[in-house]
C-alpha cells in the first residue's frame, strides 16, 4: 500500500508538471498554436525516445545529447523566418518528453538493468557484446543526425566548403572511435573537441556567411 501511494504521488506530481508545461505552451503560442504544435510535439518525441530507448546505447545517448545543443542553435533563425515561437515550443516539448519518458514517476530506469561493466585497470568495456537492438538504435541515430545535415544542405543550399565540413566530420568521427586512442586520451579529447569544434564552426560561418552546422 505504501509503494502504491508513493507511485500515485509521483503520478500526480509529474503528471501535473506535464500539464503545467502544456498549459505554458498553449499560453505562449496561443496565436500561432497550429504552427507551433509540430515543434512542441517533435521536441517531446525527441527527448521521450532519447531517455526511453536511445539510453540503452551509451554512445548513441551521448551523441544525441550533443545533438540537442546543435539543434538549438538554428532555432532562433527559424523563429524569425516563420514568425512562430519555434525555440520556446521546442524546449517546452523537450522538458515534457523527458518527464513523460517514465523514469521520474515509475522509479524504473529507461534502459536495460544490465549495464556495461568496465575493467578498473584500463577502463575498457568487458563482457559486453551489444546486440541487434543496440545496433538498430545506433543506426537510427546515424540516420537522424546525418539526415539533419543533409536537410541543411538541401534547404539552405550552402557552399561547397560547408558540404566538405559534413564529409570531413563524418570521416573524423568514424576514425576516432574505429581506431581509438587510450581510454584516458579519448576522454580528454572528448572534452576538448566540442569546444574546438564550436570555435571552428563559428570561424567557418564568419568567412562563408553560411552555417557550417552539418
Amino acid at each position: 500500500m505504501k509503494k502504491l501511494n508513493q507511485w500515485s504521488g509521483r503520478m500526480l506530481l509529474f503528471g501535473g508538471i506535464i500539464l503545467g508545461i502544456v498549459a505554458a505552451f498553449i499560453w505562449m503560442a496561443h496565436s500561432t498554436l497550429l504552427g507551433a504544435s509540430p515543434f512542441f510535439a517533435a521536441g517531446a518525441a525527441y527527448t521521450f525516445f532519447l531517455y526511453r530507448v536511445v539510453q540503452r546505447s551509451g554512445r548513441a545517448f551521448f551523441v544525441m545529447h550533443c545533438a540537442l545543443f546543435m539543434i538549438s542553435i538554428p532555432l532562433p533563425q527559424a523563429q524569425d523566418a516563420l514568425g512562430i515561437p519555434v525555440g520556446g515550443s521546442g524546449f517546452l516539448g523537450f522538458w515534457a518528453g523527458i518527464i513523460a519518458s517514465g523514469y521520474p514517476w515509475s522509479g524504473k530506469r529507461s534502459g536495460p538493468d544490465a549495464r556495461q561493466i568496465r575493467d578498473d585497470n584500463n577502463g575498457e568495456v568487458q563482457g559486453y557484446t551489444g546486440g541487434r537492438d543496440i545496433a538498430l538504435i545506433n543506426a537510427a541515430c546515424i540516420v537522424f543526425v546525418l539526415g539533419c545535415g543533409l536537410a541543411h544542405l538541401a534547404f539552405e543550399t550552402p557552399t561547397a566548403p560547408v558540404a566538405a565540413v559534413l564529409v570531413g566530420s563524418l570521416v573524423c568521427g568514424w576514425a576516432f572511435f574505429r581506431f581509438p586512442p587510450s581510454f584516458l586520451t579519448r576522454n580528454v579529447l572528448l572534452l576538448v573537441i566540442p569546444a574546438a569544434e564550436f570555435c571552428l564552426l563559428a570561424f567557418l560561418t564568419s568567412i562563408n556567411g553560411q552555417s557550417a552546422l552539418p
Side-chain angles (χ1 to χ4, degrees):
M1 182 63 69
K2 184 178 179 181
K3 289 184 177 180
L4 180 61
N5 291 335
Q6 290 178 344
W7 186 83
S8 299
R10 288 175 176 173
M11 285 288 292
L12 290 174
L13 174 62
F14 291 102
I17 293 175
I18 292 177
L19 289 177
I21 292 173
V22 173
F25 163 69
I26 294 174
W27 175 81
M28 178 192 66
H30 64 278
S31 59
T32 56
L33 189 61
L34 187 62
S37 294
F39 296 98
F40 178 86
Y46 186 97
T47 49
F48 178 86
F49 284 106
L50 177 64
Y51 283 89
R52 197 71 213 167
V53 179
V54 177
Q55 191 189 47
R56 297 179 61 188
S57 170
R59 184 174 299 177
F61 186 70
F62 170 78
V63 170
M64 299 307 281
H65 252 291
C66 294
L68 273 175
F69 170 71
M70 302 303 292
I71 290 171
S72 68
I73 294 177
L75 288 183
Q77 295 177 348
Q79 182 165 309
D80 293 338
L82 298 175
I84 298 172
V86 175
S89 301
F91 283 117
L92 285 173
F94 287 155
W95 285 110
I98 289 173
I99 298 172
S101 63
Y103 171 53
W105 52 33
S106 69
K108 297 179 181 179
R109 293 190 175 277
S110 306
D113 293 333
R115 310 303 295 176
Q116 298 182 13
I117 301 174
R118 296 187 180 278
D119 188 301
D120 293 335
N121 296 324
N122 56 23
E124 296 298 329
V125 175
Q126 301 293 327
Y128 182 76
T129 58
R132 184 181 63 178
D133 291 346
I134 304 301
L136 290 175
I137 290 171
N138 289 343
C141 291
I142 290 171
V143 171
F144 176 84
V145 176
L146 192 57
C148 289
L150 294 175
H152 183 89
L153 292 176
F155 291 111
E156 297 194 20
T157 60
T159 57
V162 179
V165 171
L166 176 61
V167 177
S169 299
L170 177 64
V171 173
C172 290
W174 173 83
F176 184 73
F177 281 95
R178 185 64 182 85
F179 308 104
S182 67
F183 183 73
L184 178 61
T185 302
R186 184 173 61 195
N187 281 354
V188 171
L189 289 176
L190 284 175
L191 295 175
V192 174
I193 287 175
E197 181 182 22
F198 182 78
C199 294
L200 176 61
L201 292 177
F203 173 73
L204 291 173
T205 299
S206 65
I207 64 175
N208 285 303
Q210 292 177 322
S211 174
L213 284 179

